[in-house]
Amino acid sequence: MNFAVGLKPLLAEARSMESLEKQLICPICLEMFTKPVVILPCQHNLCRKCANDVFQASNPLWQSRGSSAVPSGGRFRCPSCRHEVVLDRHGVYGLQRNLLVENIIDIYKQESARPLHAKAEQHLMCEEHEDERINIYCLRCEAPTCSLCKVFGAHKDCEVAPLPAVYQRQKSELSDGIAMLVAGNDRIQAIITQMEEICHTIEENGRRQKQHLGLRFDSLYSILEERKKELLQSIAREQEAKVQRVRGLIRQYGDHLETSSKLVESAIQAMEEPQMAVYLQHSKELLKKITDMSKVSMSSRPEPGYENMDHFSINVDYVAEMLRTIDFQTEPLGEEEADGPGDGSEAAADEDRLDSLEGPEAAEGQH
């Protein structure tokens, strides 16, 4: 049903009062703030009862103030700006009262005997009966109307109810709906926050496990490098020993060859001596040297295969195959296994090395 609003004569003088009242309306119950008014950390205001309703809806397991056990506090979000409000163990009763707003409400009520909404409603006039106020509500048509419309007009066969009763009921339903939505939004936000924390934890755990894995493989690399160094040293020692022995024999044969060559030169020179007496003076000694030289045994030489180094060959196929089977543990270690002689020390060493890796980053973060 259409109805006229007879507010034009009052708009000029009521504009400032309406603007003030809008600032004094609780976003939960949509009524003017009732004492005491609590101020949230975000500087928005709520009726204490409304704040308590929202808080309890967001924290269903929070114990009441009268319980013998000491509650651990809770949190909810401001219905105006969604800022998270964290409460101590006193709950809503730990919030500070906004005495300034309470004083403004007192002054406003002194200036206006009734709320502006009530004043506006008393000037709502029926369009069909211009002298009749809108004072009842048609339940079938779901529209406000006047008494004459009920008696003689379009709503004479409809069921009606007093306008204030319907107003209060619907306003209460809307307030409950708002509180329910606010509580639901807080629960959803809590779930989102929890899942964001889970994502952060997954990333952090993944980073640490990557570092642990890198350290374990670095340990394997170190073992391989150390063993490689030991085996190379073994080859080098035998190589050096064999080479030294053969070079010693080469020197012996070289010295013998040099002495024999000099003796041959001396013998050739003696053969060229034309005087027999001179020749005979040196020939006996020369013959003795040749005889002695021919008796020197030069049979020392490396045995066949002495140069072979094939006995230093190694087979790493089984080790390579074992390395290829390295994989993550499918089951967590038991207490006895976890406390074994190898695992605990390796884990502690990994932690120490991780701390040393994270040290420079932490220092940079502090700067």
Side-chain angles (χ1 to χ4, degrees):
M1 175 181 177
N2 296 325
F3 53 86
V5 180
L7 295 178
K8 291 183 178 180
L10 301 174
L11 287 178
E13 62 184 49
R15 185 175 294 113
S16 60
M17 296 296 286
E18 289 179 352
S19 177
L20 175 61
E21 184 181 5
K22 289 179 181 179
Q23 302 300 320
L24 302 178
I25 296 298
C26 174
I28 298 298
C29 64
L30 302 180
E31 294 282 357
M32 188 173 294
F33 290 117
T34 57
K35 290 184 180 180
V37 180
V38 294
I39 182 170
L40 303 180
C42 57
Q43 303 303 311
H44 290 110
N45 298 281
L46 292 176
C47 303
R48 175 173 288 176
K49 179 181 180 304
C50 295
N52 194 51
D53 291 342
V54 175
F55 173 65
Q56 290 184 354
S58 302
N59 302 268
L61 301 180
W62 192 84
Q63 298 177 351
S64 62
R65 191 167 181 258
S67 174
S68 58
V70 178
S72 60
R75 61 187 64 199
F76 67 95
R77 292 191 176 274
C78 172
S80 298
C81 66
R82 308 302 301 153
H83 177 80
E84 186 176 50
V85 180
V86 181
L87 302 180
D88 59 15
R89 63 187 183 87
H90 299 291
V92 174
Y93 291 89
L95 292 174
Q96 184 179 0
R97 289 178 59 179
N98 195 333
L99 299 179
L100 176 60
V101 172
E102 293 181 13
N103 292 334
I104 293 175
I105 292 174
D106 291 339
I107 295 173
Y108 175 82
K109 288 181 177 180
Q110 291 175 4
E111 295 294 330
S112 177
R114 287 174 294 180
L116 284 177
H117 286 315
K119 280 189 173 182
E121 288 173 2
Q122 69 181 353
H123 295 288
L124 293 176
M125 310 303 290
C126 179
E127 189 177 44
E128 295 183 6
H129 309 93
E130 296 182 356
D131 295 331
E132 289 295 323
R133 290 189 304 151
I134 302 295
N135 58 357
I136 59 176
Y137 186 83
C138 178
L139 299 178
R140 178 199 283 179
C141 302
E142 296 183 348
T145 185
C146 71
S147 300
L148 291 181
C149 289
K150 168 59 180 170
V151 178
F152 306 105
H155 301 283
K156 62 182 179 180
D157 297 326
C158 299
E159 182 181 358
V160 297
L163 194 64
V166 178
Y167 167 78
Q168 292 297 334
R169 184 179 72 251
Q170 291 191 2
K171 203 165 190 181
S172 177
E173 292 175 357
L174 183 59
S175 177
D176 294 341
I178 292 174
M180 186 182 302
L181 288 177
V182 170
N185 291 342
D186 286 342
R187 284 192 292 270
I188 292 174
Q189 183 61 45
I191 293 173
I192 292 174
T193 302
Q194 184 181 16
M195 289 191 292
E196 288 176 348
E197 292 175 354
I198 290 174
C199 290
H200 176 73
T201 304
I202 291 173
E203 292 174 351
E204 181 64 20
N205 290 339
R207 182 186 66 83
R208 292 190 64 84
Q209 288 306 115
K210 288 178 181 178
Q211 289 183 338
H212 280 299
L213 184 64
L215 291 175
R216 290 301 175 90
F217 272 85
D218 288 343
S219 298
L220 291 178
Y221 302 153
S222 299
I223 293 173
L224 290 174
E225 287 294 334
E226 183 65 24
R227 188 56 182 160
K228 174 184 175 183
K229 180 180 179 181
E230 293 173 355
L231 295 178
L232 288 175
Q233 289 175 349
S234 298
I235 296 174
R237 283 194 296 269
E238 183 161 335
Q239 171 187 324
E240 182 67 19
K242 286 186 174 183
V243 169
Q244 289 298 329
R245 179 188 173 191
V246 174
R247 291 193 182 280
L249 293 175
I250 290 174
R251 285 193 296 271
Q252 292 179 13
Y253 277 88
D255 293 343
H256 180 82
L257 179 61
E258 182 179 359
T259 302
S260 178
S261 298
K262 289 181 180 179
L263 186 59
V264 169
E265 291 179 0
S266 299
I268 292 174
Q269 291 178 0
M271 291 289 293
E272 294 176 352
E273 177 60 46
Q275 298 181 12
M276 291 184 290
V278 175
Y279 172 78
L280 291 175
Q281 287 180 348
H282 302 286
S283 61
K284 187 176 182 179
E285 181 181 359
L286 187 59
L287 288 172
K288 184 177 183 304
K289 288 181 179 181
I290 293 174
T291 301
D292 293 340
M293 179 64 66
S294 62
K295 292 180 179 179
V296 175
S297 175
M298 296 300 295
S299 60
S300 297
R301 65 183 62 187
E303 58 274 12
Y306 182 76
E307 69 279 6
N308 193 351
M309 302 284 284
D310 293 342
H311 56 285
F312 286 107
S313 299
I314 62 173
N315 182 7
V316 296
D317 292 341
Y318 73 99
V319 179
E321 187 62 29
M322 182 181 64
L323 292 175
R324 292 189 185 96
T325 62
I326 294 177
D327 203 348
F328 299 108
Q329 295 176 347
T330 56
E331 295 180 358
L333 291 175
E335 293 184 0
E336 295 182 356
E337 296 177 352
D339 296 337
D343 295 334
S345 60
E346 290 181 3
D350 286 350
E351 290 294 337
D352 293 340
R353 280 182 278 185
L354 282 175
D355 292 339
S356 65
L357 289 174
E358 293 175 354
E361 298 178 1
E364 292 177 2
Q366 293 177 355
H367 292 300

